[in-house]
Amino acid sequence: MQRSLSVAVEHYPIAGSFRISRGAKTEAAVVTCTIREGARQGRGECVPYARYGETVESVRDTVAAMATDISRGMDRLTLLTAMPAGAARNAIDCALWDLEARIAGCRVSRFVCRVTPQPLVTAFTISLDTPQGMAAVAKAESHRPILKIKLGGNQDADCMAAVSRAAPDSRIIADANEGWTPENLESNMNTAAKNRIELIEQPLPASQEGCLGDFNHVVPICADESVHVADDLERLIGLYDAVNIKLDKAGGLTGAIALHDRAKALGMKIMVGCMVGTSLAMAPAVLLAQDAGYVDLDGPLLLAEDRKPGLRYEGSLVYPPERELWG
């Protein structure tokens, strides 16, 4: 039976704004792919990211351009070589996973998870702001087990100290989004250690990460912008202690599984993260994150309203997806 592909752009307002070192946004613009075969359909969602040369329009058009190949029976493995890793491939790959599971009458978790998937504790992200602003949010969210703070501004030392004081019982991780420099790296890392920060994501621009090889550090360093697919890992050995796996970077769940397995084999710690999107984008990642050391799948918690049906969140606990949503 022939398959058909359709693509749509959707907009979801963010609760307030979401600010990192590269700027702020007030809505999540997502691209959704739907693949139909007879009465069944599978869906996938991606979030285009300008840092990687993507726009909503370019990703939408790239997905749409694959309609003929999908109608001719392209599968997920062929997709890996037919498209580069990125948001567009992620949307198609996840839609294929969803459709294949529905046709087979089983759950995706049967193929991805070694055991029955369980609820996971996700980090909750605090946007880059003044120390006072970040402390206020941290205090309000101090009931959460783990907070993730965005850094990369001019007051990072004060921000780390302020959040640490405001949420004394929460674990804290931080993401500089390439906002630090080789000159302030040591000072910032020392401040992180003093303020209970237990992981720093991508402190330096990917182009300057070479100096990490000679840098003695107590707080583990996690690659984000520097790692997309499994083939990236070899050059990161000795630079990073952990990797942040995002489906939009890896080009889908299929590529993310390969990255996950290779990183584990190399002894690297795993974080499974996300862009700011809806539950449809998080659902496959929840399955991937079942054995992750860090889970950062709070995208829907940052939105004014999630899609329905969505994932079930209880505080910072995120549950595996129900069939009505995905997989």
Side-chain angles (χ1 to χ4, degrees), residues 18-22 49 125-128 134 147-153 156 160 172-180 197 199-204 222-225 244 246 271 274 296:
F18 184 76
R19 179 179 294 276
I20 66 172
S21 61
R22 282 187 286 271
Y49 198 36
T125 303
I126 298 176
S127 292
L128 180 63
M134 295 181 74
L147 300 176
K148 175 175 176 175
I149 58 174
K150 290 291 188 176
L151 299 174
D156 283 354
M160 285 186 273
I172 305 172
I173 59 178
D175 184 2
N177 285 113
E178 302 182 288
W180 292 355
I197 313 298
L199 186 77
I200 297 287
E201 284 184 66
Q202 198 72 39
L204 302 178
C222 179
D224 184 357
E225 284 86 348
N244 186 346
K246 295 177 180 175
M271 173 189 285
C274 66
D296 181 25

Side-chain angles (χ1 to χ4, degrees), residues 269-302:
K269 296 179 181 179
I270 302 292
M271 173 189 285
V272 175
C274 66
M275 307 300 185
V276 182
T278 79
S279 283
L280 181 57
M282 306 302 123
V286 171
L287 302 184
L288 180 71
Q290 286 296 305
D291 65 350
Y294 295 92
V295 178
D296 181 25
L297 298 176
D298 63 341
L301 298 179
L302 305 176

Side-chain angles (χ1 to χ4, degrees), residues 8-9 18-19 30 35 42 45 62 74 78 123 125 130 149 160 168 189-190 225:
V9 175
F18 184 76
R19 179 179 294 276
V30 307
I35 300 176
E45 176 186 310
T62 300
M74 174 177 284
T78 306
T125 303
T130 63
I149 58 174
M160 285 186 273
M189 291 293 288
N190 288 338
E225 284 86 348

Side-chain angles (χ1 to χ4, degrees), residues 212-268:
L212 295 176
D214 300 319
F215 180 63
N216 293 323
H217 54 284
V218 176
V219 180
I221 301 175
C222 179
D224 184 357
E225 284 86 348
S226 289
V227 60
H228 293 240
V229 297
D231 287 345
D232 293 332
L233 290 173
E234 298 295 335
R235 65 177 177 81
L236 302 183
I237 296 173
L239 303 181
Y240 295 95
D241 308 291
V243 294
N244 186 346
I245 302 173
K246 295 177 180 175
L247 272 65
D248 279 314
K249 293 188 301 177
L253 182 58
T254 305
I257 292 171
L259 173 55
H260 167 281
D261 292 350
R262 182 60 180 149
K264 294 279 281 189
L266 291 171
M268 305 183 84

Side-chain angles (χ1 to χ4, degrees), residues 14 27 31 78 161 250 282:
I14 291 172
E27 71 168 15
V31 176
T78 306
M282 306 302 123

